[in-house]
């Protein structure tokens, strides 16, 4: 299993890019999974449903199985958030795991940056950023840039630079980024 990250500030279009990138990677015969980190509390269950009630009653984990999918919910309660390595170990085998968020992780990443959002890019100072995808690539201040609409070139970059996890130049294991 190889990993590749999509990073950037909120509102830059990371999810929109991923919606276009995933089908491109799949069209090349790759199996793709994704881990998305959110700095917000998430709720995938609904109040009043049996699974919600049982989770609220104190279950550490609740697994839901339906006709089209299954999901495992793990309550952190007072636990520290798990490492990216731990989360990756919970995924089924696949060719590539795309990681949205975890900006501080040490693995290759593409930054998504839109000048119109009036926020400075993360840039090459962040660990692992190897290029930037932008709607104005000629205005990216540092490093290689690809047009955000060129999904084929972005997929080429992902395939070329994705690598097994947790291998890194420093030997560090990426840590969960709370920002």
């Amino acid at each position: 299993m190889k990993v590749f990250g999509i990073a950037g500030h909120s509102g830059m279009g990371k999810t929109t890019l991923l919606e276009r990138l995933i089908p491109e990677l799949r069209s090349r015969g790759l199996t793709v999974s994704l881990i998305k980190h959110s700095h917000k509390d998430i709720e995938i269950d609904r109040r009043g449903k049996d699974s919600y009630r049982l989770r609220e009653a104190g279950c550490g984990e609740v697994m839901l199985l339906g006709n089209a999918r299954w999901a495992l919910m793990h309550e952190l309660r007072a636990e520290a958030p798990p490492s990216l390595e731990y989360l990756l170990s919970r995924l089924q085998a696949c060719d590539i795991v795309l990681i949205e968020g975890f900006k501080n992780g040490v693995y290759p990443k593409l930054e998504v940056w839109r000048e119109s959002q009036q926020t400075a890019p993360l840039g090459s100072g962040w660990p692992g950023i190897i290029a930037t995808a932008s709607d104005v690539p000629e205005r990216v201040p540092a490093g290689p840039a690809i047009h955000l609409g060129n999904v084929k070139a972005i997929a080429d970059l992902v395939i070329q630079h994705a690598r097994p996890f947790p291998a890194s130049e420093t030997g560090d294991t990426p840590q969960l980024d709370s920002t």
Side-chain angles (χ1 to χ4, degrees):
M1 173 182 327
K2 293 183 177 181
V3 299
F4 190 90
I6 304 296
H9 296 290
S10 179
M12 291 292 170
K14 298 180 298 292
T15 300
T16 301
L17 172 61
L18 285 164
E19 285 177 313
R20 296 172 57 221
L21 177 61
I22 292 165
E24 176 64 28
L25 293 169
R26 288 185 42 83
S27 77
R28 298 178 187 204
L30 298 172
T31 55
V32 181
S33 292
L34 181 124
I35 294 177
K36 177 179 173 70
H37 174 242
S38 176
H39 61 278
K40 303 171 188 169
D41 286 341
I42 59 167
E43 186 61 65
I44 60 171
D45 208 1
R46 293 190 321 256
R47 184 178 298 280
K49 293 294 182 182
D50 291 351
S51 52
Y52 183 95
R53 292 169 50 206
L54 297 170
R55 192 167 44 88
E56 288 295 305
C59 284
E61 292 186 329
V62 173
M63 186 177 289
L64 294 171
L65 172 62
N67 292 332
R69 69 192 49 87
W70 65 271
L72 173 63
M73 294 175 284
H74 178 97
E75 292 297 309
L76 290 176
R77 306 218 191 272
E79 298 171 37
S83 68
L84 180 55
E85 185 171 27
Y86 176 84
L87 295 173
L88 286 164
S89 76
R90 297 304 180 254
L91 292 177
Q92 299 285 321
C94 63
D95 295 313
I96 190 162
V97 178
L98 297 172
I99 301 168
E100 182 180 346
F102 294 94
K103 288 185 285 200
N104 288 324
V106 181
Y107 52 86
K109 296 181 206 70
L110 174 72
E111 178 180 5
V112 178
W113 180 71
R114 293 180 186 268
E115 184 179 49
S116 63
Q117 294 298 309
Q118 300 179 341
T119 303
L122 299 171
S124 58
W126 280 85
I129 293 180
I130 59 170
T132 302
S134 177
D135 50 351
V136 287
E138 66 279 3
R139 305 222 2 120
V140 171
I146 302 172
H147 195 280
L148 198 49
N150 192 345
V151 177
K152 289 187 184 308
I154 293 170
D156 290 342
L157 179 98
V158 169
I159 291 167
Q160 179 183 2
H161 292 281
R163 67 174 187 225
F165 185 85
S168 72
E169 295 83 9
T170 63
D172 294 337
T173 299
Q175 298 297 308
L176 183 66
D177 176 24
S178 61
T179 59

